[in-house]
Amino acid sequence: MTEKLDIDHLRQWIGRTQDATDIVTAQLVKGLRATLFQEVGEPKKGDAAPFTVHWCLTQPVFPMSMLGPDGHPTRGGFLPPVPLPRRMWAGGEIEFIEPLCVGDETTRTSRIADVTVKTGSTGTLCFVAVEHTITSPRGIAIRERQDIVYREMTGSQPGGAKTPPPPPGAQHRETHVSDPVLLFRYSALTFNGHRIHYDRDYVTKVEGYPGLIFHGPLQAALIVEMAAKLRGGKAPKKFSYRGMQPLFEGTEFSVNANETDAGLELWTANAEGQPTMKGTAVW
């Protein structure tokens, strides 16, 4: 049985901060390039890393004894101890200021910005907004807000069962396959122990999904790289995104973009063409 959610208690975490440091290594850049379907090459000191390499840096490390049944650290600590069992990345916003490069020593300063509760089609939802500032020796590289959602363990799946609208058309499209090895590689690069991405028995029998779930940040990373490719290799000044529905293993998926007056509209889509994540990028 899920513990009662006490929003007043959880909001006491607002304002908490945490600092962590890490180094952008050539090996990390090679692994991330390979996972993002880029040419691997031989990155050298000073070479630019993929734009979302910061999601592979400064990841918290806990002993096995401190992990919960879902593979995440037990609740509490920097993040508030939200008692709802399902946890996913709902979306966020990134401001790209300065590229991170091989050899950079980085510092991430994180702050709990807000904790809110809403009611959705699958029950109670608790959103935790976390702000991050990532710096390198050259100054601020990235400002970011991450929205984490916690939800109840219900029989219905997120995303709903309504008849989907016709899939949108795309001016630019790349297709890939959501392979379990791809999901494993990204979990390894980000030191992400969340079992929904690699443990099929857990994700199907405990959380009730039909298969392994594609990482939200991996979808966002692929979208950002496509956006930059369409603008001559320049990262957007601001990228905002939100998850629409889960993307599962074993299917073809696409990364899509349409030109707008303001910049680009971007999204990932499943094999049926239905968006799984949407984003906008401006320069």
Side-chain angles (χ1 to χ4, degrees):
M1 181 178 292
T2 301
E3 177 187 341
K4 180 175 172 58
L5 193 153
D6 184 345
I7 185 61
D8 292 331
H9 175 63
L10 297 177
R11 287 182 62 82
Q12 293 177 20
W13 265 254
I14 295 174
R16 292 196 182 196
T17 61
Q18 182 183 70
D19 291 341
T21 61
D22 208 339
I23 296 174
V24 182
T25 67
Q27 185 68 15
L28 171 61
V29 169
K30 288 174 69 173
L32 186 56
R33 285 177 178 175
T35 305
L36 297 179
F37 306 101
Q38 299 176 350
E39 184 178 343
V40 176
E42 291 294 338
K44 298 177 178 60
K45 185 177 175 64
D47 289 351
F51 295 111
T52 58
V53 70
H54 64 288
W55 287 337
C56 303
L57 300 169
T58 64
Q59 294 301 319
V61 177
F62 292 87
M64 296 295 293
S65 60
M66 291 183 64
L67 300 183
D70 61 357
H72 276 306
T74 49
R75 306 299 171 92
F78 172 64
L79 289 172
V82 179
L84 302 175
R86 280 179 171 164
R87 168 181 165 179
M88 301 188 82
W89 210 334
E93 184 174 274
I94 312 174
E95 183 182 357
F96 293 100
I97 300 166
E98 173 81 24
L100 293 172
C101 300
V102 175
D104 282 349
E105 181 171 337
T106 67
T107 298
R108 183 184 71 181
T109 299
S110 306
R111 175 182 176 273
I112 305 297
D114 202 6
V115 182
T116 56
V117 173
K118 299 179 182 178
T119 301
S121 59
T122 57
T124 302
L125 304 171
C126 182
F127 291 87
V128 178
V130 187
E131 295 174 345
H132 302 289
T133 301
I134 295 91
T135 60
S136 76
R138 295 174 299 283
I140 296 176
I142 293 169
R143 290 192 183 96
E144 176 182 17
R145 187 197 76 250
Q146 292 175 3
D147 298 323
I148 303 168
V149 62
Y150 299 80
R151 56 184 295 273
E152 296 176 90
M153 194 77 76
T154 63
S156 58
Q157 297 173 22
K162 296 179 181 178
T163 302
Q171 296 168 334
H172 309 279
R173 173 167 290 161
E174 296 178 355
T175 59
H176 305 286
V177 174
S178 175
D179 187 282
V181 178
L182 175 68
L183 305 187
F184 165 80
R185 282 185 161 196
Y186 197 73
S187 287
L189 285 166
T190 54
F191 202 68
N192 183 352
H194 199 182
R195 292 170 67 178
I196 64 173
H197 303 304
Y198 61 86
D199 187 337
R200 191 174 289 108
D201 277 352
Y202 172 83
V203 77
T204 57
K205 296 177 181 178
V206 177
E207 298 221 8
Y209 293 98
L212 300 178
I213 298 175
F214 202 99
H215 309 70
L218 178 51
Q219 293 182 66
L222 291 166
I223 290 174
V224 167
E225 294 294 339
M226 170 177 263
K229 188 187 302 183
L230 294 173
R231 290 296 184 269
K234 184 178 180 181
K237 184 178 295 184
K238 187 174 289 187
F239 172 62
S240 303
Y241 63 100
R242 63 189 178 97
M244 305 299 294
Q245 60 177 313
L247 174 62
F248 297 103
E249 63 166 316
T251 62
E252 185 177 87
F253 71 96
S254 59
V255 188
N256 308 271
N258 282 334
E259 307 280 347
T260 69
D261 291 340
L264 288 171
E265 245 178 24
L266 305 116
W267 68 98
T268 47
N270 58 25
E272 289 72 43
Q274 297 302 318
T276 56
M277 176 175 285
K278 288 184 177 180
T280 57
V282 296
W283 281 259

